[in-house]
Amino acid sequence: MKQSKNKPEIKEFVKTQQVQEGYLANTIKYLDAIIFSSVPDGSSFYFITPAIEKIAGIKPEEAVEKKYVLMKMVAPEDFAAVRHFFSEAKDGKAGTLEYRIKNRRGEKLFIRHSIFPIVENGTVIRVDGIIYDITKEKQNEEQLKKTDEKLRNLIEAADDLIFVLDKNGNFISVNVNGALNLEYNPVEMRGKHFLNFIEDSNKQAIAKSFREILRVNSVVTFESFFKSKYDKTIIFEVNARAILENGKVDGLIGIGRNVTTKRFDQEKMKDLNNKLIEANRLISIERDRAKQKISILEELNRLKNEFVSNISHELRTPLASIIGFAETIDSDRSMPTELRDEFNQIILTEAKRLATLINDVLDISKIEEGKIDLVKSEFTFNEIIAPLIEEYRRKSREKGIIFTCEIPEQQIFLFADKSRIIQVLDNVLSNALKFTTQGRITLIVQSMYRECEIIVTDTGIGIPKKDIPFLFQKFYRVSRAGSEIPGTGLGLAFVKQIIDLHKGFVTINSEEEKGSTIVIKLPTARRE
Ligand code: ADP
């Protein structure tokens, strides 16, 4: 081999044997370990270095002179092992034993004792060896063991799922409590693939998270839906990262927090929230309804007030003329009989009008309270319509309106409350006359199968679309600014109630400025 030029020649280090022994003596003197040469059974020493004093607290001379000095220091619990160790040495077997001693100073030490039997001609002639004080080393080891154990206990006791997977994704280890969360014990899980414990619907997402772990080489957080041994869904929020060995992925380590209750509570909260929204919606509906009711009540109140003012007007007008004409008759005794008769006639007519009005109001309340009984009899429609046609033809003529009617020749029999039906027809015809200033009023009567249809059409002022649905409400009147036509709003309410009581049917069609049509259907009398 080629020597480097700068290196000194080897012979420079070769010293005389004397010098070398000097070095050795020095080394032995200061060496912390004991070097010895003993009889084969180790009971006494031929030679032992000064470190015996440091370790055992006895002088080397004593160790050489006396037997069993070291043996006597062995801790009772290790004694048997030590004896066995020496007996093996005697048989020529080299070895090392660690055991405890209590030295002369009363200190408890741990020592490592190595022996090399020297054999000549097949016999052990002596045993050489070396003894170290390894107390510190043992203490450290013990400390480390304790720390390790604490850590292990901590992991085992943790509520979290702490696990290690191999590079294929199989469980290498898992903590007891973590496994218990899934109703398994760690042994049942070991060696099985992580995905075996995952719900089917979540498997793809987990596989994706694993790929992510391999890619990013840092902690990845993902949610795992585990399927417990008894088929419960347990949700863990897992933090995991790859274990690298020489730059290659060798497995995966992870910790998962059980968030099942949290998720469950969140779901519950969501559910409650939805219920709350629903309750709020219902409350707002109820509030709207209440508002509507209030506005209906307000409307009723308004209608009532309007009615009171209308009825007062309706009452006052005939009353005023009754009083006026009565006073005139009373103050003028010499009034010609003809004039008096005419005035008396007016008083009578107005008084009748008053009586009818009052009856109407009373009737309607009676019907509403269900207190009215229909007085039914059989009669022909023709007999009741004839006088009405005559009356309205005359009144129309007076107003400059054409009155036409189409009445079938054949008799139509009704079984009904005659006077009420007359009132109904009178109401409808009087409305047509009241709200028509020019054109015509047409009355058409048709006899249909078990039904009599009465249609009254006029070319009057008509009714706004928005008012039509309310016409049958009591006291409802169409407000027409500027051209107030007197009325109480009772007529159509009465019509509807009477027709309903007779199991008939009534509708109104109308168009403003063009006119109105009211259709009444009444069942005819059965004449089998
Ligand atoms: P009123 O005593 O006010 O006539 P009704 O109940 O008979 O009360 O009628 C209700 C309202 O319907 C009236 O105020 C009127 O505005 C309207 N109405 C009824 N019939 C007619 C019609 N033929 N033409 C126009 N408006 C009508």
Side-chain angles (χ1 to χ4, degrees):
M1 199 187 283
K2 217 181 141 203
Q3 284 273 302
S4 149
K5 275 199 179 148
N6 297 337
K7 271 200 166 174
E9 286 294 312
I10 193 90
K11 65 181 175 197
E12 275 187 46
F13 292 105
V14 179
K15 304 284 180 190
T16 61
Q17 194 177 350
Q18 202 181 354
V19 173
Q20 280 184 5
E21 277 172 5
Y23 282 173
L24 184 65
N26 224 28
T27 308
I28 286 170
K29 191 172 170 189
Y30 296 111
L31 194 69
D32 271 347
I34 304 169
I35 297 171
F36 66 85
S37 183
S38 72
V39 295
D41 68 359
S43 57
S44 59
F45 298 98
Y46 295 123
F47 150 83
I48 193 156
T49 56
I52 181 76
E53 187 164 6
K54 206 168 169 193
I55 293 177
I58 50 174
K59 299 242 180 265
E61 303 82 58
E62 188 185 342
V64 170
E65 278 163 20
K66 292 185 181 165
K67 274 183 129 192
Y68 300 115
V69 275
L70 199 62
M71 214 64 114
K72 284 179 189 163
M73 294 180 188
V74 175
E77 55 269 40
D78 291 338
F79 200 74
V82 173
R83 290 229 8 204
H84 177 71
F85 179 62
F86 281 116
S87 81
E88 287 205 325
K90 208 168 64 183
D91 295 342
K93 202 166 168 200
T96 298
L97 182 73
E98 289 175 358
Y99 58 91
R100 283 155 288 185
I101 59 163
K102 189 172 173 185
N103 69 12
R104 276 282 167 80
R105 292 187 294 269
E107 298 158 340
K108 288 180 175 171
L109 303 181
F110 229 110
I111 56 174
R112 182 178 295 129
H113 195 143
S114 298
I115 45 177
F116 320 101
I118 309 296
V119 183
E120 259 180 38
N121 302 326
T123 316
V124 176
I125 54 158
R126 60 172 211 276
V127 172
D128 292 347
I130 186 160
I131 298 172
Y132 299 94
D133 176 0
I134 55 163
T135 314
K136 278 244 161 59
E137 197 181 306
K138 278 285 174 191
Q139 276 169 352
N140 285 345
E141 205 176 281
E142 204 57 34
Q143 196 67 36
L144 211 65
K145 229 158 87 186
K146 274 188 191 156
T147 313
D148 240 28
E149 202 162 293
K150 273 186 198 156
L151 197 67
R152 212 179 4 259
N153 285 342
L154 200 70
I155 289 175
E156 290 303 346
D159 273 339
D160 298 333
L161 173 76
I162 302 167
F163 59 90
V164 182
L165 305 182
D166 66 14
K167 58 175 180 271
N168 298 318
N170 298 319
F171 278 101
I172 295 176
S173 73
V174 53
N175 66 326
V176 175
N177 266 5
L180 261 178
N181 263 309
L182 299 172
E183 298 167 320
Y184 287 103
N185 68 49
V187 182
E188 289 173 299
M189 294 181 75
R190 227 167 280 154
K192 293 196 183 122
H193 200 276
F194 188 87
L195 286 182
N196 282 4
F197 301 91
I198 294 294
E199 294 218 325
D200 287 346
S201 56
N202 186 225
K203 281 184 177 160
Q204 253 187 347
I206 298 290
K208 194 172 157 210
S209 300
F210 277 16
R211 283 198 293 276
E212 177 76 0
I213 291 170
L214 302 183
R215 197 177 61 80
V216 297
N217 191 20
S218 65
V219 175
V220 171
T221 305
F222 53 95
E223 215 163 61
S224 306
F225 287 72
F226 282 89
K227 195 166 63 180
S228 84
K229 190 171 177 178
Y230 301 109
D231 249 1
K232 271 193 243 156
T233 302
I234 315 277
I235 311 165
F236 275 97
E237 194 176 83
V238 176
N239 289 306
R241 68 172 302 157
I243 307 170
L244 295 179
E245 184 83 32
N246 300 327
K248 272 189 168 175
V249 174
D250 193 44
L252 185 153
I253 185 162
I255 175 162
R257 167 139 304 172
N258 191 337
V259 292
T260 317
T261 332
K262 195 167 135 194
R263 291 283 171 280
F264 185 67
D265 288 349
Q266 275 172 350
E267 280 306 308
K268 239 172 133 177
M269 281 289 285
K270 232 200 251 167
D271 199 41
L272 281 177
N273 220 21
N274 285 341
K275 280 190 180 143
L276 202 71
I277 291 170
E278 179 62 10
N280 271 338
R281 201 179 64 81
L282 291 177
I283 289 171
S284 97
I285 290 175
E286 281 306 319
R287 197 174 290 142
D288 283 352
R289 270 197 200 140
K291 264 191 209 154
Q292 260 173 25
K293 272 186 192 154
I294 290 171
S295 70
I296 289 172
L297 284 175
E298 280 171 355
E299 176 67 4
L300 269 176
N301 207 28
R302 190 186 66 76
L303 290 172
K304 225 171 224 168
N305 289 340
E306 208 178 290
F307 169 71
V308 171
S309 95
N310 286 341
I311 198 105
S312 327
H313 176 78
E314 291 289 302
L315 292 171
R316 205 178 291 131
T317 318
L319 260 183
S321 70
I322 292 170
I323 294 168
F325 285 108
E327 273 176 355
T328 313
I329 295 170
D330 190 45
S331 62
D332 189 355
R333 297 280 165 195
S334 56
M335 184 182 280
T337 325
E338 252 173 62
L339 194 59
R340 178 175 301 158
D341 286 349
E342 196 184 321
F343 283 5
N344 271 335
Q345 205 53 49
I346 295 174
I347 290 172
L348 194 64
T349 314
E350 293 300 328
K352 275 186 184 162
R353 211 174 117 195
L354 262 184
T356 315
L357 184 65
I358 289 164
N359 277 341
D360 280 357
V361 175
L362 292 176
D363 271 356
I364 221 134
S365 345
K366 268 197 212 153
I367 298 173
E368 274 194 335
E369 288 165 28
K371 281 186 185 157
I372 191 168
D373 283 327
L374 294 177
V375 186
K376 286 191 173 179
S377 62
E378 196 179 286
F379 57 94
T380 64
F381 185 75
N382 315 64
E383 74 185 72
I384 57 164
I385 201 71
L388 283 169
I389 290 175
E390 203 165 303
E391 181 187 342
Y392 281 96
R393 184 167 284 148
R394 180 177 51 79
K395 286 182 174 167
S396 301
R397 198 181 313 119
E398 281 167 15
K399 228 181 153 182
I401 298 165
I402 303 162
F403 185 89
T404 50
C405 57
E406 287 173 30
I407 311 285
E409 298 243 312
Q410 105 232 37
Q411 301 278 334
I412 302 167
F413 290 92
L414 297 178
F415 181 70
D417 189 324
K418 191 168 162 186
S419 65
R420 302 279 177 203
I421 297 296
I422 295 174
Q423 263 177 292
V424 164
L425 296 172
D426 190 35
N427 264 323
V428 173
L429 287 166
S430 78
N431 273 348
L433 186 70
K434 192 156 70 169
F435 297 104
T436 308
T437 45
Q438 57 184 20
R440 76 171 61 228
I441 295 172
T442 313
L443 167 68
I444 301 168
V445 180
Q446 297 179 57
S447 169
M448 303 166 94
Y449 177 70
R450 286 185 180 170
E451 230 174 36
C452 164
E453 190 177 65
I454 304 131
I455 306 165
V456 177
T457 306
D458 63 60
T459 56
I461 57 175
I463 302 161
K465 275 241 151 19
K466 65 171 178 44
D467 290 305
I468 293 179
F470 309 104
L471 292 177
F472 295 123
Q473 278 177 17
K474 172 173 82 153
F475 311 131
Y476 193 88
R477 303 189 65 239
V478 177
S479 63
R480 294 182 170 92
S483 60
E484 266 316 316
I485 298 165
T488 54
L490 286 174
L492 287 178
F494 176 81
V495 167
K496 168 96 171 121
Q497 285 174 352
I498 294 294
I499 297 300
D500 281 351
L501 280 176
H502 280 87
K503 303 205 168 28
F505 180 74
V506 55
T507 50
I508 294 184
N509 267 315
S510 187
E511 208 175 319
E512 261 187 300
E513 314 288 342
K514 293 218 166 127
S516 314
T517 301
I518 183 156
V519 179
I520 294 172
K521 289 181 179 176
L522 272 174
T524 51
R526 289 189 161 207
R527 317 197 89 229
E528 262 94 272

